[in-house]
Amino acid sequence: MRNVLLPIATIWWREIIRFFRQRSRLFSAIAQPLVFWILIGSGLNASFQPAGVSGKSEYIEYFYPGIVVLVLLFTAIFATISVVNERREGFLQGVLVAPAPRWGIVLGQALGGTTLALLQGVLLLFIAPLTGIRFGLTSLLSTLGVMTLLAFGLTNLGLLIAWRMDSTQGFHAVMNLILIPIWLLSGAFFPSAGAPDWLAWVMKLNPLTYGVDAFRRSLYFDTVTTNGNMPTWTLSILVISLFCFLTYLGATLTASAETNKKHA
């Protein structure tokens, strides 16, 4: 057991240490979504009432959960791009020849990225009261749980892509092509209630939609503030949990396949 846990903990801790040595990553991952939230949210606040949202919720409040998820997404990009750099620098090859299972190596990388995403996401929770959101201990704990699942799933999705890439330029291109549209069509920017039928179906098939909805429901845990046509909190948790499992499995299989390819 120690031969498995030690590599996982070592890789996880390495991600944490490297983050604190590159503090610009904190600014990059938080500043851009925060500016995006303030500018877009404030600009549309007086003219856009999200369709299907009950109550007098303002757009800047509606947009807030989506911005937190965007921070988690950006952190996944910054955390997993290290795989591409480490392969080029030779460090990853040294890790792969160690007597550690591939699933353990991927798990250590995923836990490192998840931890960093949570650290940055929690910072944004402190500004929730400024949007009018008030949550108690139950809401806070459920929100942190949903954030953990989202961070883990997005980090594994990043690893799934990063293990296949040989250049940082190609990695960024693929991530922007996949992750940004996934976020835009998750209900973070606009709800599915006011979208055309074909777009609403795309949003329903998007696993991140259920993560954003679970996060939004967790903030208001005992208050119905979302579209009644959206899935229940329990179903959303099940879908995002399945997303986490599948992306982790995919990242592990990809890492194993790439390793075997190098040795062939």
Side-chain angles (χ1 to χ4, degrees), residues 227-249:
N227 183 6
N229 294 325
M230 290 300 293
T232 63
W233 187 84
T234 302
L235 178 59
S236 296
I237 292 297
L238 290 176
V239 172
I240 197 64
S241 298
L242 180 61
F243 173 71
C244 290
F245 172 76
L246 292 178
T247 52
Y248 171 68
L249 179 62

Side-chain angles (χ1 to χ4, degrees), residues 71-132:
V71 169
L72 301 181
L73 187 150
F74 275 10
T75 305
I77 294 177
F78 288 124
T80 56
I81 197 175
S82 62
V83 174
V84 182
N85 294 327
E86 288 172 353
R87 180 188 290 113
R88 187 173 60 249
E89 295 169 359
F91 173 82
L92 193 60
Q93 285 77 354
V95 173
L96 293 176
V97 299
R102 297 296 171 264
W103 65 265
I105 294 175
V106 174
L107 182 59
Q109 294 173 324
L111 291 178
T114 301
T115 303
L116 297 178
L118 282 177
L119 288 175
Q120 296 174 80
V122 167
L123 292 178
L124 284 187
L125 288 182
F126 287 109
I127 67 174
L130 298 179
T131 68

Side-chain angles (χ1 to χ4, degrees), residues 28-259:
S28 300
I30 291 183
Q32 185 173 351
L34 194 59
V35 171
F36 192 51
W37 174 58
I38 294 174
L39 295 180
I40 302 297
S42 299
L44 295 177
N45 195 49
S47 57
F48 180 30
Q49 173 65 33
V53 178
S54 60
K56 298 181 179 180
S57 175
E58 296 183 344
Y59 181 73
I60 197 168
E61 180 181 347
Y62 172 86
F63 197 23
Y64 171 75
I67 289 299
V68 177
V69 173
L70 185 61
V71 169
L72 301 181
L73 187 150
F74 275 10
T75 305
I77 294 177
F78 288 124
T80 56
I81 197 175
S82 62
V83 174
V84 182
N85 294 327
E86 288 172 353
R87 180 188 290 113
R88 187 173 60 249
E89 295 169 359
F91 173 82
L92 193 60
Q93 285 77 354
V95 173
L96 293 176
V97 299
R102 297 296 171 264
W103 65 265
I105 294 175
V106 174
L107 182 59
Q109 294 173 324
L111 291 178
T114 301
T115 303
L116 297 178
L118 282 177
L119 288 175
Q120 296 174 80
V122 167
L123 292 178
L124 284 187
L125 288 182
F126 287 109
I127 67 174
L130 298 179
T131 68
I133 299 175
R134 300 289 187 273
F135 48 80
L137 180 60
T138 302
S139 295
L140 178 61
L141 293 178
S142 61
T143 297
L144 291 176
V146 173
M147 289 173 63
T148 301
L149 288 175
L150 283 169
F152 188 73
L154 289 172
T155 302
N156 279 304
L157 181 58
L159 290 172
L160 175 60
I161 299 172
W163 274 96
R164 297 175 178 271
M165 306 301 298
D166 294 320
S167 69
T168 56
Q169 292 84 355
F171 176 79
H172 278 297
V174 173
M175 293 293 276
N176 289 332
L177 181 63
I178 295 177
L179 290 187
I180 297 302
I182 287 178
W183 175 77
L184 287 173
L185 297 177
S186 66
F189 195 68
F190 57 88
S192 61
D197 291 340
W198 68 270
L199 191 58
W201 272 105
V202 172
M203 296 176 70
K204 290 179 180 179
L205 295 175
N206 180 7
L208 195 57
T209 298
Y210 299 87
V212 172
D213 185 68
F215 181 78
R216 179 171 284 115
R217 288 180 183 271
S218 295
L219 288 174
Y220 301 94
F221 206 73
D222 299 318
T223 306
V224 179
T225 58
T226 53
N227 183 6
N229 294 325
M230 290 300 293
T232 63
W233 187 84
T234 302
L235 178 59
S236 296
I237 292 297
L238 290 176
V239 172
I240 197 64
S241 298
L242 180 61
F243 173 71
C244 290
F245 172 76
L246 292 178
T247 52
Y248 171 68
L249 179 62
T252 302
L253 293 176
T254 302
S256 300
E258 290 297 314
T259 302

Side-chain angles (χ1 to χ4, degrees), residues 15-23 25-26 116:
E15 292 293 328
I16 304 301
I17 294 298
R18 181 166 51 187
F19 170 77
F20 284 104
R21 290 178 177 175
Q22 301 174 350
R23 298 180 182 178
R25 290 171 56 183
L26 174 63
L116 297 178

